């Protein structure tokens, strides 16, 4: 068997993963456009909203977006199997992007509020950095299984950007500003909780063989 087909056997293409990634990318472009289509017009409400935080917003938008885009590719088994060096390089860029993108979001929250969501930015940023740092530690110490699991825990903290913005209009409609706060905090809580559910799912549903079956086996 050729080395190429070995790689393909070890890393089959996951159509579900590709479809989910594409859906997530489309949702992200949609929420960015929906909120910021007027941002380059200085007299628009959105440009005026962000004006006091411009110095933080530009690096934040650039680095957090880089992390969000690169993260998707880091989960590609085929990319990892075929081009390990690319995976490593993108991984280090992801780390730098998280370290800049997270805290700069806190500075924006500090500058333009709303005050009710300041701690949400702190917790989201903390979760993003800590999970990424643990993933880095694991890969540096050769613990690839835990590296993968902590990267799966890291990415959702960034993905809160898209998920929260998708549900904010519903939150605002149902409960006004209180709805906004609830949507943001719920998204962050889900980012912290759902990856563990996903990672442990097979263990949760695995059935222990009944003793008679086990004996027969
Ligand atoms: C720990 C993670 C993050 C924190 C704490 C954070 C925090 C914030 C805050 C407080 C704002 C201002 C929102 C407003 O006043 O309306 C903001 C805006 C923004 N963030 Fe983040 N963010 C994070 C992750 C991300 C990610 C992953 C992206 C990647 C796309 C991103 C891109 C942006 C952009 C483009 C804006 C300006 C436009 C907008 O609000 O839609 N952020 N962020």
């Amino acid at each position: 068997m050729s080395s190429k087909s070995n790689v393909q056997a070890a890393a089959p293409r996951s159509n579900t993963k590709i479809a989910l990634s594409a859906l997530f990318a489309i949702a992200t472009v949609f929420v960015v456009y929906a909120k910021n289509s007027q941002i380059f017009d200085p007299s628009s409400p959105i440009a005026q909203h962000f004006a006091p935080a411009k110095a933080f917003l530009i690096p934040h938008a650039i680095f957090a977006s880089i992390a969000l885009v690169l993260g998707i590719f880091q989960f590609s088994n085929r990319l990892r199997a075929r081009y390990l060096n690319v995976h490593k390089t993108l991984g280090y860029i992801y780390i730098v992007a998280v370290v800049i993108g997270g805290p700069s979001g806190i500075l924006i929250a500090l500058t333009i509020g709303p005050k009710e969501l300041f701690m949400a930015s702190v917790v989201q940023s903390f979760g993003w950095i800590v999970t990424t740092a643990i993933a880095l530690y694991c890969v540096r110490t050769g613990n690839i299984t835990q590296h993968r699991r902590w990267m799966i825990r890291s990415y959702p903290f960034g993905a809160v950007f898209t998920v929260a913005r998708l549900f904010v209009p519903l939150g605002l409609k149902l409960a006004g500003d209180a709805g906004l706060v609830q949507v943001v905090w719920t998204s962050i809580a889900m980012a912290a909780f759902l990856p563990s559910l996903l990672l442990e799912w097979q263990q949760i549903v695995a059935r222990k063989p009944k003793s008679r079956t086990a004996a027969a086996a």
Side-chain angles (χ1 to χ4, degrees):
M1 201 188 281
S2 73
S3 63
K4 191 177 173 196
S5 52
N6 268 336
V7 165
Q8 279 172 349
R13 182 197 295 272
S14 163
N15 288 336
T16 315
K17 216 195 277 182
I18 293 172
L20 286 176
S21 303
L23 211 65
F24 179 71
I26 292 167
T28 305
V29 171
F30 170 75
V31 296
V32 170
Y33 181 77
K35 184 173 172 189
N36 304 293
S37 59
Q38 306 290 315
I39 203 158
F40 295 112
D41 170 3
S43 64
S44 68
I46 190 70
Q48 286 176 5
H49 167 72
F50 283 128
K54 217 155 126 188
F56 306 129
L57 185 67
I58 293 169
H60 173 72
I62 293 172
F63 284 97
S65 304
I66 289 174
L68 209 60
V69 171
L70 291 190
I72 291 181
F73 292 100
Q74 292 305 85
F75 291 113
S76 162
N77 296 336
R78 287 159 69 90
L79 184 88
R80 241 175 9 239
R82 287 187 187 188
Y83 308 105
L84 187 57
N85 278 337
V86 174
H87 174 79
K88 284 183 186 172
T89 308
L90 296 187
Y92 283 112
I93 300 175
Y94 176 85
I95 292 163
V96 172
V98 168
V99 167
I100 299 174
S104 54
I106 299 177
L107 295 175
I108 301 171
L110 192 65
T111 316
I112 56 174
K115 283 198 175 77
E116 293 81 354
L117 282 174
F118 175 69
M119 278 313 292
S121 284
V122 174
V123 171
Q124 185 189 353
S125 185
F126 177 77
W128 208 16
I129 290 176
V130 169
T131 49
T132 308
I134 296 174
L136 173 64
Y137 174 79
C138 291
V139 77
R140 298 294 301 172
T141 52
N143 191 343
I144 303 301
T145 305
Q146 285 299 326
H147 165 67
R148 187 178 155 271
R149 292 169 72 91
W150 283 95
M151 275 305 295
I152 290 172
R153 292 188 170 106
S154 160
Y155 192 75
F157 282 103
V160 163
F161 171 81
T162 305
V163 175
R165 278 165 177 76
L166 276 179
F167 288 98
V168 157
L170 184 67
L172 285 172
K173 194 169 177 202
L174 293 179
D177 286 350
L180 169 74
V181 173
Q182 289 176 53
V183 166
V184 173
W185 272 114
T186 305
S187 307
I188 296 171
M190 289 297 126
F193 159 76
L194 287 181
S196 295
L197 186 64
L198 179 83
L199 288 166
E200 305 305 333
W201 186 250
Q202 286 191 334
Q203 269 74 25
I204 294 167
V205 296
R207 294 193 184 182
K208 284 192 182 156
K210 289 188 183 141
S211 53
R212 213 187 305 159
T213 326

